[in-house]
Amino acid sequence: GFHLSGTVTEPATATEPEMTYKVAISFDRCKITSVTCGCGNKDIFYCAHVVALSLYRIRKPDQVKLRLPISETLFQMNRDQLQKFVQYLITAHHTEVLPTAQKLADEILSSNSEINQVHGAPDPTAGASIDDENCWHLDEEQVREQVKLFLSQGGYYGSGKQLNSMFAKVREMLRMRDSNGARMLTLITEQFMADPRLSLWRQQGTGITEKCRQLWDELGALWVCVVLNPHCKLEEKSCWLRQLRKWGEMDVCPLEDGNYGNELPNITNALTQSSGHSQDSLARPRRTVFTRAIEGCDLHWQDSHLQRIISSDFYVSPSYQREGESLLFNSQGQPLWLEHVPTACARVDALRSHGYPREALRLTVAIINTLRLQQQRQLEIYKHQKKELLQRGATTITNLEGWVGHPLNPIGCLFLTLTEACRLEEENCLEISDSGDSKPPVYQHVPVVSGSQDSGESYLSLALEVALMGMGQQRVMPEGLYAQDKVCRNEEQIIARLQDLELDPVLVQTLRKQCILLLEGGPFSGLGEVIHRESVPMHTFAKYLFSALLPHDADLAYKLALRAMRLPVLETTAPSGDVTHPHHLVSVVPSRYPRWFTLGHLESQQCELASTMLTAAKGDMLRLRTVLEAIQKNIHSSSLIFKLAQDAFKIATPADSNSDTTLLNVALELGLQVMRMTLSTLNWRRREMVRWLVTCATEVGVRALVSILQSWYSLFTPTEATSIVAATVMSHNTILRLSLDYPQREELASCARTLALQCAMKDPQNCALSALTLCEKDHIAFETAYQIVIDAASTGMTYTQLFTIARYMEHRGYPLRAFKLASLAMTHLNLAYNQDTHPAINDVLWACALSHSLGKNELAAIIPLVVKSVHCATVLSDILRRCTMTAPGLAGIPGRRNSGKLMSTDKAPLRQLLDATISAYINTTHSRLTHISPRHYGEFIEFLSKARETFLLAQDGHIQFAQFIDNLKQIYKGKKKLMLLVRERFG
C-alpha cells in the first residue's frame, strides 16, 4: 500500500559502533506525509536514515516488494486464518500490544460501543481519500523550537543566517508548490510575534535592532508572496487574512517604517518640512510589517488582460483598437500593465516564488514597456514646463513613494527575474573560487520573446534598463531613520548586482541611452536639471554610472557625475511658503536637518563621487577645474574637503613615478579652502590640517610656499603661522627637499621673517619667542622683534612668557637684555607667604643669579623688585644665601671692573633683602600659628630653626631672635604643649 518500512544500518566509525534503525514512511500522491525513525533526531529536515530509505525505494524499485494494503490481504483470509493472524501478532509483540488488544476486544464485543457505530476499520497502509488534504510531512514542533532558539540568540552565533535559510526553505517550498510553505511561514511568524524583546523595545521606545529589522522585512515580503499565490483557494486566503489581521492588531507588532516612535507626536513635524507632503504622522494610519500582505489579500488574478499577458509571449493588440483599449497596449502593440508599480512587481515576485518563471518574465516585460511609456510622457510634459521650472530653479513634483528602499523591493525583483532568465548555468557553477567566495554569476543575452516585430532586445539589457530607471527615479527622502537607512542599503544591493554585469556593446548602448534620458528627464529624474529640495541624492548611483560610462563616453560620464554632485537640502533654506508662520522658523530640534538621519553617510558618498572624478581627471587641466568648482560649490563640510585634498595629493604623488602638477594644484587649492573654512571655527583636526597644507605646498614648490607665507592672515592664526608654518618652511628638511639655490632660500627666509614680525605685532604673547627664533639670522629683523617684546612686556605679557624669552636671550648671549626682561617679569609676579612650591620660584632664583653674575648694580636693581614681589620666607632666605656665597660680577662683562669681594649683609643692597626675609619669617610664623594642629608642631620647630639662621646674619640678630621668641611665648601662651617645645629648643 502506501506505507514503506525498512531497516537502515549506519556503519561503525572510529568512535561509534554499527547502529541499526527502524524507519517507517507514509506517502500519498507523490508526497511523503509522515516519517518515524528509531534514531530520534529532531530537525525540520528529514534525518539521513529516512532519506536513505526513500532514495533506496526510488533508485531500486524492484528490490522493494510491493504489497496490497493490509486491509485487502485480511479480506482474503477466512475465520481461522484471521484468528491465527491476530494471535501470532499479539504473541510477537505481547508486551506492547496486549493491553490495546484486550481493550479493542472488549469494545467490539459490546454492542453499543463507539467502534461498532462505524462501518469498516482504519488501514494505515491504504492511501488517503481523494478529498483529504495531502501535504509533505513537516515536524511543526521542531520548526517552533528552532525559530525560538535562533531568536533567543538575538542575531549572534550566526542565528540570523539560520533564520534566513529557514526563509529560503519557505521560498523553496513555495516554488515546489508545497502547501507546507505557508504552514511553515505561519509557525515562524507565531514565534517571531512571541519574541519577548518586542514588548521591551516598545516600552523603551527604541527601534528594533538592525539585524532583527531585516528579518521582519523578509517575513513581511514572504507573506505578500504567499497571499499573492495565483492558484490559492479562497478559504486559504481568508484564513491567512484573519491571521495577518490578528498579528497586525497586536501592539507589539513592528511597524513598516521600523519605529515604535511614530506613535508619539513627531517633534520634527512641528517644523513644516516642505510644501505639505509630510502631514502630521498622527493622521496616517498605523502600518505594520503585515499591512502590505493584508492589502495583497484584496488583489486577484482574474483580470482577462492580465491573464493574457502572463499566459502568452505573443499577446499583441488587435489590428484595430476598440475605444479604451489604447491604455492596454503601446504604439508597437505590446501589452501594458498599468498597476501601481510596487504592486505589479509584487505580482512578479509571487509568480517567480510560486514556480511560474515564464509568467513572471512576461509580466515583467509588460511592466517595463509601461515604465518606458511613462518616461516618454513625462519627458513631453517637462518640455512644456521646462522654461518655468528652470526660472524657479526648484520643483514640487516628486514621487512620495520611492522604488529604491521600498518594502517590496520592486526594482530588485524585476532585475532578478530578468537576470535569472539570462544566467549561464556552468557545469561547475557550484565550485567555489580560491578566495572562498562564490564566483560572480555569468550572464548571456537571451532575446526577448515578443509578438511584435523583432525588437532585438534581450532580457539582460532590459534588466540594466529597469535598474537604471528605478535608481534614477526622483523621490523624496522617506520619514524615519530606518526607512532612510534602507534606501542606502537597497541602493548598494542593486549596484552590487549591476557590477556583476559585463558591459558589452549592447549594454553600453542601453546605459548611454538611459543616462541621456535621466539627464533630460526634468523633475521626474533624480538627475534632471531641477529637483525637489528633499530629493534623495544620487551620489552613489552617479559614482557607478561615472565609472561604467567613462571608458565609453567620457563627456557623458562627467556631465552626469557633475550634475549629481548637488545636495539641495544643505544649499537652500526651507521653501518660502513657510514665512507666514514665523514660529516655524524657531528650530525645536538641535540638529541641522531634523528629518535627514543619514546625512553624514550621504555627505561622505558625495565626497566619494568627487574623489572618483578627481582620480579620473588626473592630468586633464580643464576637467580638473570643473570638478574643483563642483566641489567648492556643493561640499559644505570642511573635514570632507580635507579628505578630498588628501586623496588628490595621494593620487598626484605616486611613490614610483613623478608627481602630477595639475592634481597637486587641485589638492593645494582644496587645502587652502579648508584653511579658510576652519580658521575661525574650532576643529580638533586643525593642527593636522595646517601641517598637511605645508607638506602639500612644499610638493607644489617654492612659489606655493611664498604665497602661503605672504597671505598667512587669511589662512592661519598667528601662533600656527609662526610655530608650524614658518618653522616648517625654514627647516633644514624643507630646504633639502626643494634643493633651493641661495636667492630662493633668501626669498623664503625674508617672507618667513616678515610673517614672524607681523604675527608678533598681532599676538606678542604667543608669537614673540617664535618670531625672535625665526629672525635670529637677520640683525634688523631680530632687533625689531626684540623691540616688539619690550613694547608688549608692560601690558600684554605674563611673567611666564617674559621669563621664557629672558632665558632665551641669555642663551643667545644677550645677558643684559635677559636681565631687562627678567626685571619686567618680576613686576608681574606675586608670591604669597605660603607659596613655597610655586612653579615661578625657579625663574626667580635664575633671575637673581643672572643679576648677581652681572654685578653689584644689576643686583641692586633687582632686589627691590624681589622684595616687592616675593613674600615667601624660605625663597627669600634661599636667594640671600646664594648672594653671600660668591662675589658678584663673575659674568665678566667687557669694560667692567670686578672687585672680587664678597658682599656684606650689613650694607645695601643685601641689607634690604635681609630685613625683608626676617620680616617674612615673622609674618609667616604668626600666620602658621593661627591654624596649627599638634601633628604639625615638629615641622613648625624646624621652621623656627631655619628662621634663626637668617636672624643671625644680622649684626644684632641673636637679640632680635630672642625678643621674637619671648613675644611668641607671651601671645600664644594658651598653646602650652607647643610653647614647651619652643622652650626646650630655643630657651
Side-chain angles (χ1 to χ4, degrees):
F2 296 90
H3 190 273
L4 172 67
S5 45
T7 36
V8 177
T9 306
E10 200 168 297
T13 64
T15 50
E16 299 287 323
E18 179 180 279
M19 299 289 279
T20 305
Y21 299 106
K22 289 194 164 132
V23 182
I25 300 175
S26 304
F27 47 94
D28 176 16
R29 283 164 275 185
C30 305
K31 294 184 181 116
I32 292 175
T33 53
S34 76
V35 301
T36 50
C37 176
C39 75
N41 268 4
K42 287 280 175 204
D43 198 353
I44 59 170
F45 306 116
Y46 300 149
C47 68
H49 317 109
V50 169
V51 174
L53 182 64
S54 312
L55 289 175
Y56 187 81
R57 165 67 184 78
I58 291 165
R59 288 174 182 165
K60 303 187 175 177
D62 41 355
Q63 302 275 327
V64 180
K65 194 158 187 196
L66 182 61
R67 304 169 188 278
L68 291 169
I70 196 83
S71 50
E72 299 284 330
T73 313
L74 295 175
F75 189 66
Q76 293 168 14
M77 296 183 187
N78 63 25
R79 194 195 171 303
D80 289 348
Q81 287 171 315
L82 281 170
Q83 173 114 21
K84 200 170 200 172
F85 173 78
V86 172
Q87 280 180 249
Y88 266 96
L89 182 62
I90 293 171
T91 308
H93 299 286
H94 68 274
T95 49
E96 299 111 278
V97 174
L98 199 56
T100 313
Q102 188 63 62
K103 182 169 163 272
L104 287 172
D106 292 348
E107 284 188 16
I108 286 170
L109 293 173
S110 156
S111 59
N112 59 354
S113 69
E114 200 175 322
I115 211 166
N116 285 324
Q117 312 299 316
V118 182
H119 290 294
D123 175 2
T125 64
S129 90
I130 195 78
D131 306 325
D132 281 1
E133 269 293 302
N134 68 321
C135 60
W136 288 84
H137 169 69
L138 176 72
D139 186 341
E140 299 193 353
E141 196 39 50
Q142 243 346 83
V143 174
R144 287 194 195 96
E145 283 306 307
Q146 289 217 318
V147 177
K148 199 174 187 172
L149 172 70
F150 295 145
L151 281 173
S152 70
Q153 293 170 347
Y156 304 106
Y157 321 110
S159 57
K161 226 178 199 162
Q162 304 281 5
L163 287 164
N164 273 319
S165 75
M166 288 180 93
F167 288 148
K169 190 79 195 155
V170 171
R171 282 196 183 269
E172 190 187 322
M173 288 167 152
L174 297 180
R175 199 162 50 247
M176 305 305 291
R177 303 181 198 163
D178 173 354
S179 58
N180 271 330
R183 179 75 203 118
M184 181 157 159
L185 187 60
T186 303
L187 296 168
I188 294 175
T189 310
E190 281 167 353
Q191 291 308 312
F192 264 69
M193 289 301 296
D195 187 345
R197 292 177 299 170
L198 288 181
S199 55
L200 199 71
W201 284 325
R202 188 172 182 278
Q203 282 159 11
Q204 295 168 346
T206 51
I208 298 179
T209 59
E210 188 59 32
K211 278 181 180 153
C212 211
R213 237 344 305 184
Q214 292 171 19
L215 293 166
W216 274 102
D217 282 352
E218 177 61 6
L219 194 68
L222 271 172
W223 272 113
V224 174
C225 261
V226 167
V227 303
L228 281 180
N229 177 353
H231 293 293
C232 71
K233 302 190 186 79
L234 266 175
E235 54 270 24
E236 276 183 307
K237 203 184 246 191
S238 55
C239 166
W240 294 330
L241 182 60
R242 272 199 306 281
Q243 261 181 346
L244 289 165
R245 282 199 173 129
K246 187 186 84 192
W247 291 325
E249 281 159 12
M250 290 167 73
D251 55 4
V252 292
C253 185
L255 303 182
E256 186 176 74
D257 67 3
N259 289 347
Y260 293 115
N262 261 17
E263 295 165 23
L264 310 164
N266 188 339
I267 191 165
T268 62
N269 290 320
L271 305 169
T272 44
Q273 282 296 328
S274 78
S275 43
H277 78 257
S278 80
Q279 256 75 47
D280 195 333
S281 53
L282 295 179
R284 288 188 306 225
R286 178 171 177 268
R287 292 187 67 84
T288 72
V289 285
F290 301 117
T291 303
R292 299 213 179 241
I294 291 168
E295 292 166 351
C297 290
D298 295 338
L299 298 174
H300 61 79
W301 295 83
Q302 271 71 56
D303 183 279
S304 59
H305 181 56
L306 176 62
Q307 283 299 328
R308 289 196 192 106
I309 290 173
I310 61 177
S311 54
S312 161
D313 287 319
F314 303 104
Y315 172 43
V316 290
S317 64
S319 47
Y320 62 94
Q321 285 201 354
R322 288 194 296 279
E323 195 56 45
E325 262 183 2
S326 60
L327 287 177
L328 304 183
F329 302 93
N330 63 14
S331 55
Q332 287 88 50
Q334 297 160 312
L336 303 172
W337 182 241
L338 290 164
E339 197 170 27
H340 170 235
V341 175
T343 308
C345 297
R347 286 187 191 273
V348 171
D349 194 26
L351 288 168
R352 221 179 98 238
S353 303
H354 288 284
Y356 301 99
R358 297 295 319 159
E359 289 81 347
L361 211 49
R362 289 169 188 147
L363 183 54
T364 299
V365 174
I367 293 170
I368 290 176
N369 283 326
T370 314
L371 289 177
R372 284 170 166 170
L373 189 65
Q374 282 176 355
Q375 199 179 37
Q376 278 173 311
R377 286 188 181 161
Q378 286 170 347
L379 263 174
E380 281 156 25
I381 295 169
Y382 173 55
K383 276 177 191 150
H384 293 301
Q385 302 175 331
K386 188 170 182 175
K387 201 172 163 192
E388 178 205 343
L389 279 175
L390 286 177
Q391 273 172 341
R392 275 220 314 266
T395 174
T396 49
I397 307 165
T398 182
N399 295 288
L400 292 184
E401 184 179 52
W403 299 331
V404 173
H406 191 283
L408 298 174
N409 188 10
I411 300 301
C413 158
L414 297 183
F415 185 83
L416 270 180
T417 307
L418 292 160
T419 48
E420 273 174 6
C422 306
R423 236 183 140 137
L424 250 183
E425 291 301 346
E426 300 169 60
E427 292 305 304
N428 53 357
C429 66
L430 291 175
E431 196 182 290
I432 302 291
S433 65
D434 302 339
S435 60
D437 306 322
S438 49
K439 288 183 181 166
V442 181
Y443 299 110
Q444 60 183 356
H445 283 286
V446 175
V448 175
V449 185
S450 143
S452 62
Q453 70 279 22
D454 180 34
S455 59
E457 290 185 321
S458 82
Y459 291 119
L460 201 56
S461 60
L462 286 188
L464 176 62
E465 184 179 346
V466 80
L468 300 178
M469 264 187 193
M471 301 267 286
Q473 173 211 31
Q474 199 213 155
R475 53 203 182 265
V476 149
M477 181 62 83
E479 292 268 5
L481 167 62
Y482 181 70
Q484 293 177 14
D485 199 44
K486 203 166 162 184
V487 168
C488 303
R489 247 205 336 273
N490 193 204
E491 192 170 36
E492 280 156 15
Q493 285 162 351
I494 297 171
I495 288 174
R497 295 233 167 91
L498 285 173
Q499 283 165 335
D500 287 340
L501 301 180
E502 284 279 324
L503 292 182
D504 59 12
V506 177
L507 293 183
V508 169
Q509 194 185 348
T510 307
L511 178 70
R512 287 187 56 186
K513 184 180 161 196
Q514 198 53 45
C515 285
I516 292 166
L517 283 171
L518 286 172
L519 280 171
E520 292 172 356
F524 302 97
S525 151
L527 292 162
E529 279 176 274
V530 276
I531 51 171
H532 189 281
R533 173 173 179 265
E534 303 223 351
S535 199
V536 171
M538 294 279 138
H539 309 126
T540 315
F541 179 42
K543 185 179 144 192
Y544 161 75
L545 293 177
F546 178 78
S547 305
L549 273 173
L550 196 62
H552 312 288
D553 187 341
D555 286 343
L556 184 58
Y558 277 102
K559 187 176 179 187
L560 210 141
L562 289 164
R563 169 81 56 87
M565 272 294 289
R566 62 198 169 186
L567 188 49
V569 78
L570 294 187
E571 269 145 48
T572 51
T573 47
S576 52
D578 291 358
V579 181
T580 48
H581 307 290
H583 62 278
H584 284 150
L585 302 175
V586 180
S587 176
V588 207
V589 189
S591 79
R592 294 179 291 173
Y593 303 95
R595 285 189 57 240
W596 287 52
F597 297 99
T598 50
L599 193 59
H601 171 76
L602 298 171
E603 284 188 283
S604 69
Q605 288 300 305
Q606 182 188 31
C607 178
E608 286 286 306
L609 172 62
S611 185
T612 308
M613 283 197 279
L614 282 177
T615 311
K618 179 177 173 177
D620 183 335
M621 202 56 230
L622 223 77
R623 291 229 197 270
L624 277 174
R625 292 250 52 100
T626 347
V627 177
L628 182 63
E629 280 161 25
I631 292 169
Q632 290 170 331
K633 180 179 169 209
N634 293 301
I635 298 187
H636 302 281
S637 148
S638 55
S639 54
L640 289 175
I641 297 180
F642 182 49
K643 185 189 176 301
L644 280 175
Q646 289 176 303
D647 287 354
F649 182 74
K650 268 196 204 106
I651 303 155
T653 51
D656 49 0
S657 64
N658 293 337
S659 298
D660 178 85
T661 46
T662 53
L663 199 48
L664 257 181
N665 279 306
V666 167
L668 180 64
E669 207 159 322
L670 289 170
L672 293 171
Q673 187 183 345
V674 174
M675 288 297 106
R676 290 184 208 104
M677 286 170 88
T678 55
L679 179 58
S680 53
T681 57
L682 286 173
N683 189 310
W684 61 276
R685 294 183 66 190
R686 176 77 188 174
R687 277 185 81 79
E688 177 198 351
M689 291 167 167
V690 174
R691 287 182 192 288
W692 178 88
L693 185 82
V694 180
T695 310
C696 180
T698 308
E699 274 304 313
V700 175
V702 72
R703 302 294 352 130
L705 287 175
V706 168
S707 164
I708 65 168
L709 291 174
Q710 287 174 342
S711 54
W712 69 268
Y713 45 85
S714 64
L715 305 168
F716 315 108
T717 64
T719 318
E720 290 167 346
T722 50
S723 65
I724 306 177
V725 183
T728 313
V729 171
M730 295 311 295
S731 70
H732 188 57
N733 285 353
T734 307
I735 289 163
L736 280 181
R737 176 87 191 83
L738 290 169
S739 51
L740 303 178
D741 56 24
Y742 183 71
Q744 288 175 316
R745 282 212 298 263
E746 270 314 292
E747 183 185 13
L748 264 188
S750 162
C751 288
R753 288 194 290 267
T754 308
L755 170 148
L757 295 173
Q758 288 170 343
C759 293
M761 288 290 286
K762 201 172 166 77
D763 182 2
Q765 289 185 320
N766 297 309
C767 302
L769 186 59
S770 302
L772 286 164
T773 315
L774 286 163
C775 296
E776 275 169 7
K777 294 204 174 88
D778 183 287
H779 179 67
I780 298 172
F782 188 76
E783 289 303 314
T784 314
Y786 175 65
Q787 201 48 54
I788 292 170
V789 175
I790 296 296
D791 294 345
S794 54
T795 51
M797 298 184 71
T798 65
Y799 59 82
T800 317
Q801 290 162 338
L802 288 168
F803 275 131
T804 309
I805 298 170
R807 288 191 166 204
Y808 160 81
M809 279 296 180
E810 188 202 24
H811 177 68
R812 295 286 307 143
Y814 294 104
L816 290 168
R817 289 183 174 187
F819 168 72
K820 184 167 184 181
L821 288 164
S823 305
L824 286 166
M826 287 301 294
T827 60
H828 291 267
L829 180 67
N830 187 17
L831 276 188
Y833 75 91
N834 56 356
Q835 287 185 297
D836 48 1
T837 56
H838 193 283
I841 291 172
N842 278 333
D843 287 322
V844 173
L845 294 173
W846 168 80
C848 292
L850 172 71
S851 314
H852 185 266
S853 72
L854 288 173
K856 202 168 171 183
N857 297 344
E858 281 77 12
L859 191 59
I862 206 150
I863 281 177
L865 300 176
V866 172
V867 169
K868 194 173 174 194
S869 303
V870 180
H871 307 287
C872 179
T874 50
V875 177
L876 289 168
S877 64
D878 200 0
I879 296 169
L880 188 61
R881 190 176 53 78
R882 291 174 187 224
C883 289
T884 52
M885 279 166 63
T886 55
L890 295 179
I893 300 282
R896 285 206 189 171
R897 270 182 52 247
N898 177 13
S899 66
K901 279 173 29 194
L902 291 177
M903 292 174 74
S904 157
T905 51
D906 289 342
K907 298 195 187 117
L910 292 190
R911 178 71 210 221
Q912 193 186 356
L913 182 57
L914 177 60
D915 291 347
T917 311
I918 290 173
S919 151
Y921 269 119
I922 293 170
N923 292 337
T924 308
T925 304
H926 288 300
S927 299
R928 286 180 75 163
L929 282 172
T930 48
H931 315 286
I932 197 161
S933 68
R935 60 198 173 111
H936 292 125
Y937 286 176
E939 201 186 307
F940 176 72
I941 296 296
E942 289 311 311
F943 174 74
L944 282 182
S945 302
K946 277 220 178 81
R948 181 166 62 182
E949 286 169 20
T950 303
F951 273 81
L952 292 179
L953 289 172
Q955 272 190 336
D956 54 349
H958 59 288
I959 301 169
Q960 268 185 291
F961 187 68
Q963 280 174 344
F964 173 49
I965 295 291
D966 283 346
N967 215 356
L968 290 184
K969 288 185 220 164
Q970 199 57 41
I971 301 173
Y972 301 104
K973 56 175 179 246
K975 298 188 189 294
K976 289 196 176 69
K977 193 174 175 201
L978 177 59
M979 289 308 127
L980 194 70
L981 293 171
V982 170
R983 258 192 218 96
E984 273 176 17
R985 175 71 70 93
F986 305 109

